[in-house]
Amino acid sequence: MNRPEEVERFYLKHLPAAKKEKSFLKAPCPFCRPDDAKEGGTLVVYLEPESFFLGYFRCLNRCKPGGFPFHFSKLMGLDPRDSPGYDPDREVRARDVVYPGRNLNSEIKKFGTLMGETEYAYFGDFGVSKATVEEMKIGYNGRYLVYPYFMEDGNCYAARCVMPEREEDQFWHGDEAFFAPEQRVFNVQEIERCENGALFIVEGENNLLTLKELGYPALAVPGFANLEAIDPDRLAYVSHVFLLMNHTPEARMAARALATRLGYKARIFKWSPNLKRGYTLCHMAREKGKHFRTAVSAMIRESESFSPFSSPDKEQMRFVQQLEREKGRRLLGLSTGFQKMDQALSGIVGINILGGQPKAGKSCFFMQISTEMARNKVPVIYYDFENGRQKIYARTLSRLSRLGEEDVRRHDLPEGDAQRLQETLHEFKEMLQYFRVVTDRKLSPDAVRRQIDFIKHETRQDKTLVVVDSLHKLPFKNLSERRTGIDEWLRHMEAIRDEQDVAFLVISELSRSTDGRYEEKPDLGSFKESGDIEYSADNAMILAPSWDPLDPFSAGERKSILWLVASRESSPGRIGEYVLDYPYWGFKEL
């Protein structure tokens, strides 16, 4: 038996006089106690199969608050196991609240008797009837409207007193223990009545009244800030939670924060962007009049479950925009400045890990690639744990000016060299707008994310290059578990790559063989202390020198071969040969 059939059969069983009219059941209300002044009311049950309110009942006389089948069973004294959706493992939830012996119940009744035509007319202005006001037990103390905050035990210990038409003039009355943010839920008993059903959460008691006038179940908070104090566990057995805040960005953010905690059951209602700031349900009720119900129904139909995912429309838009950006481009990624390397990799995309033995020139190679990108206005963050900021800057200045480091420090440079150095310093300053060196030994993935967001915002660029020199010197929580720490950092890089559209250049150490030598034939197994490189790297490369890096006199011209040993998109093999342009700290591609 499907859910709609099960619900209909349940109510027909316990309301034998019920008659079905379209998608409603109507029956004499079993809870009304008719007297000489008032006849028994009609109980209406919603049976629309596609409705969020399938199974919701209410008495048109408002003799009892409406609810879903479990609440009906409770009022009728039925065995809950007969109710549709019964869960034998359901745990009864109880809040850790100590209720005092004294309450405001008698005061609330007294305030109700002070309501006059003027006060009822105030509510009537936005379409709320006297019957709805009385159902919610709203009163008047001679100056302020009194909204009673009844608790789960059925008693009122606090009330919010609000000046009509001047809501900023308000105060709390009653037991101070119930003024706390977590207690500021108007009509909180609705939660239990809506088990396995749907429930509105709105901002402001008057907005709740407009929904109660239409017959919808709802609770309210005085202001959007109180959403933060709502414990999602209180709504554990409510299937759908509609969040309808006033039309302000702050209220929407608060609703999103609560929806994040509630998960898929939350649905945030959207106002039309052309409405004025602070627009509310009360404003809509005034404007729409008899069409207010239709407008609310439309908002319910258009609401969408809060999702941690982007909408299909946004995903489509992003994909098409990216295709448009890539049209006619020679490379998919960022240009390295080396023709053969760009051809082999189609530019720098994703996580690119470069291995090499000590002193092979890995840092120098990446310094050149990253500073050239920065000169072309690609934002670069260079995380350095090897050389220090001063050495990176000095070698970059030497390469750009074609002056050795010793010449850069001379006071008596020839006029032509001095002028070239000054011009290069100006160019270097411009480059630093896009090139940031970070040497923080307490670096964290969250800090990396924030720094990427900052440089993107500052440079107004979408793409960013992140250089890590080196993988094995990144900060780890536990220094004794370096391999675990490296793999954890690789997981974070994967997430940052995907979430923030970042390309990585990462330097890694290589493992030595048993005789202390490095492998002559480079392969993926050459990388040190990380089994995850083969899974995380989009491209894994090895820079293999043709000379002995530990013997400064082994070769006059220092050539190195760059090998692509693994790739998601490209064929592994030799990329190219590079010669060190000493003493200018750069490489030339042969």
Side-chain angles (χ1 to χ4, degrees), residues 7-8 10-12 15 17-32 40-48 51 53-69 71-72 75 214-217 293:
V7 169
E8 182 176 342
F10 169 77
Y11 280 110
L12 286 174
L15 297 170
K19 294 181 180 179
K20 189 173 182 180
E21 298 180 11
K22 296 183 179 179
S23 57
F24 299 94
L25 275 184
K26 292 185 178 180
C29 178
F31 311 117
C32 278
T42 299
L43 193 78
V44 177
V45 182
Y46 297 83
L47 296 179
E48 174 59 48
S51 172
F53 300 95
L54 170 68
Y56 183 71
F57 73 90
R58 68 186 186 98
C59 173
L60 299 183
N61 260 0
R62 302 179 185 271
C63 68
K64 296 280 186 183
F68 289 85
H71 182 54
F72 182 85
L75 292 178
L214 300 180
Y216 288 115
R293 181 185 296 277

Side-chain angles (χ1 to χ4, degrees), residues 499-562:
E499 294 164 8
Q500 296 178 279
D501 195 16
V502 168
F504 281 89
L505 292 177
V506 182
I507 291 175
S508 173
E509 297 175 14
L510 298 182
S511 299
R512 293 177 187 265
S513 60
T514 53
D515 62 358
R517 292 178 174 273
Y518 292 94
E519 295 289 341
E520 292 185 10
K521 180 175 173 52
D523 60 32
L524 200 53
S526 304
F527 289 93
K528 185 178 180 181
E529 289 184 313
S530 178
D532 274 10
I533 283 180
E534 62 180 301
Y535 304 111
S536 300
D538 293 280
N539 296 297
M541 297 169 286
I542 290 178
L543 188 66
S546 304
W547 49 280
D548 185 355
L550 301 181
D551 180 4
F553 305 105
S554 64
E557 190 175 51
R558 301 181 179 182
K559 295 180 182 178
S560 300
I561 299 174
L562 182 64

Side-chain angles (χ1 to χ4, degrees), residues 442-510:
K442 295 182 179 180
L443 188 69
S444 68
D446 285 341
V448 173
R449 286 182 168 90
R450 289 195 301 271
Q451 289 161 1
I452 291 169
D453 285 338
F454 173 82
I455 199 168
K456 279 186 172 184
H457 177 77
E458 187 180 54
T459 60
R460 297 177 177 85
Q461 298 291 328
D462 294 327
K463 294 282 188 180
T464 303
L465 176 71
V466 171
V467 183
V468 178
D469 187 3
S470 67
L471 180 63
H472 292 75
K473 291 193 176 180
L474 281 166
F476 310 127
K477 293 178 184 176
N478 188 343
L479 293 176
S480 65
E481 307 238 356
R482 191 159 74 156
R483 174 165 178 164
T484 303
I486 290 171
D487 290 345
E488 185 177 348
W489 267 106
L490 287 170
R491 298 281 83 76
H492 285 297
M493 288 181 197
E494 288 177 329
I496 293 169
R497 171 197 65 193
D498 298 336
E499 294 164 8
Q500 296 178 279
D501 195 16
V502 168
F504 281 89
L505 292 177
V506 182
I507 291 175
S508 173
E509 297 175 14
L510 298 182

Side-chain angles (χ1 to χ4, degrees), residues 200-218:
F200 278 92
I201 298 180
V202 299
E203 181 182 359
E205 299 93 343
N206 288 347
N207 291 319
L208 175 144
L209 293 176
T210 64
L211 293 177
K212 295 299 288 184
E213 181 67 27
L214 300 180
Y216 288 115

Side-chain angles (χ1 to χ4, degrees), residues 9 15 22 24 27 32 41 48 51 82 95 111-113 155 162 201 238 244 246 269 322 329 344 453 493 496 534 551:
R9 187 168 297 185
L15 297 170
K22 296 183 179 179
F24 299 94
C32 278
E48 174 59 48
S51 172
D82 293 336
R95 293 179 64 219
F111 293 144
T113 63
N155 296 309
V162 182
I201 298 180
V238 178
L244 211 173
N246 297 343
F269 281 46
Q322 185 64 28
R329 287 180 55 180
D453 285 338
M493 288 181 197
I496 293 169
E534 62 180 301
D551 180 4

Side-chain angles (χ1 to χ4, degrees), residues 70 138 299:
F70 276 109
I138 295 167
M299 292 181 77

Side-chain angles (χ1 to χ4, degrees), residues 1-8 10-11 54-55 68-71 73 79-91 194-197 236-239:
M1 189 187 306
N2 61 32
R3 171 80 174 172
E5 290 177 355
E6 185 182 12
V7 169
E8 182 176 342
F10 169 77
Y11 280 110
L54 170 68
F68 289 85
F70 276 109
H71 182 54
S73 293
D79 187 335
R81 289 175 293 185
D82 293 336
S83 299
Y86 171 73
D87 181 2
D89 294 330
R90 179 193 184 283
E91 295 181 4
C194 291
E195 183 171 336
N196 278 8
Y237 296 117
V238 178
S239 300

